Amino acid sequence: MPTRSRTTFTPRPRGFTLLELLVVMVIIGLLASIVGPQYFKQIGHSNAKVARAQIEALGQALDQYKLDAGRYPSTEQGLAALSLAPADAPKWRGPYLKRELPLDPWGTAYQYLAPGQHGDYDLVSLGADAQPGGDDEAADVTSW
C-alpha cells in the first residue's frame, strides 16, 4: 500500500508590526543623535587641517618670493603678488602658485599682514565664523 506523505501546514510570514517598526526607528534615531555630532565635529577638524596645509603652502610661496625679490610682499600688495608681478618687484620670477590664490575652507580670503606682529608676515584664516578669535571650528588658523 502506498504511504501518503503528511504535509504540515506552516503559516506564511506576515511582516513586521507597527510596534516593531517604531522600536527600530527609535533605535536608529538614538544612534543618529550619538553619531551625527561626532561626524560633523570631524568635518570641522578636517577644515582646520586643510587651512593649515594651505597656509603652509602659501608660506612656502612667500619664502620663494622673498628669495627672488629680496623681501616679502607688502600688506598692500597682499597675496596677489604671488600670482601677478608688482610694479616695484623687478626680480619677480613668479607666478609662485600653481593655481589661483585659494580661499580658506570656509570660503573667505586669507588675511595677510607684512611685516607681521608675530614674524616677517602673519597669515590667518578666521575660521568658520570669519571673525577674529573663536573656539572649535570658529577658531583662527594662523601661520605662527
Side-chain angles (χ1 to χ4, degrees), residues 62-139:
L62 286 165
D63 290 341
Q64 186 63 44
Y65 179 98
K66 182 182 179 186
L67 286 174
D68 291 345
R71 61 175 176 75
Y72 289 107
S74 67
T75 302
E76 294 76 29
Q77 292 168 331
L79 296 173
L82 298 174
S83 299
L84 301 171
D88 64 345
K91 295 182 181 177
W92 190 84
R93 305 267 187 269
Y96 298 97
L97 298 174
K98 291 182 181 179
R99 297 182 181 95
E100 66 183 52
L101 186 63
L103 297 175
D104 72 7
W106 298 279
T108 57
Y110 286 98
Q111 305 294 311
Y112 174 72
L113 180 66
Q117 297 173 348
H118 301 279
D120 292 330
Y121 63 86
D122 292 348
L123 197 51
V124 180
S125 167
L126 297 177
D129 63 353
Q131 300 293 322
D135 295 319
D136 297 325
E137 192 176 344

Side-chain angles (χ1 to χ4, degrees), residues 9-15:
F9 177 76
T10 55
R12 287 184 14 191
R14 298 182 60 189

Side-chain angles (χ1 to χ4, degrees), residues 12-25:
R12 287 184 14 191
R14 298 182 60 189
F16 298 106
T17 65
L18 181 60
L19 181 60
E20 291 169 329
L21 290 174
L22 288 174
V23 168
V24 168
M25 290 181 68

